[in-house]
Amino acid sequence: LESHATSSRIEVPGHKQPVLCSVFGEGILVTGSADCTVRVWTPSIRGESIFKKAHSKPIRSVDISRD
């Protein structure tokens, strides 16, 4: 992940290829990667992310909805 505000790079374990998109809200961080996976992280809890189904193409956009 790259923070555009500070231009810093954050290491995100779990993905096997670069993170292409992310969103933070509702107390969770969701990341999408070139490895065709989505992961859901709870920053307040250390440890592994929740792995979501692999897709057939890189994930270029993620969003969070209460629905």
Side-chain angles (χ1 to χ4, degrees):
L1 288 177
E2 289 200 23
S3 170
H4 297 288
T6 61
S7 297
S8 62
R9 193 175 184 120
I10 302 168
E11 189 87 16
V12 181
H15 286 294
K16 293 180 167 85
Q17 292 185 16
V19 171
L20 301 176
C21 55
S22 64
V23 64
F24 181 79
E26 305 293 324
I28 60 172
L29 172 66
V30 180
T31 56
S33 173
D35 66 6
C36 305
T37 64
V38 173
R39 290 185 177 266
V40 180
W41 311 81
T42 306
S44 62
I45 301 172
R46 287 186 170 255
E48 193 62 31
S49 65
I50 297 170
F51 170 77
K52 294 297 181 179
K53 181 182 172 189
H55 294 264
S56 61
K57 295 186 178 181
I59 309 300
R60 298 194 178 277
S61 177
V62 291
D63 202 358
I64 297 172
S65 173
R66 288 186 172 192
D67 296 349

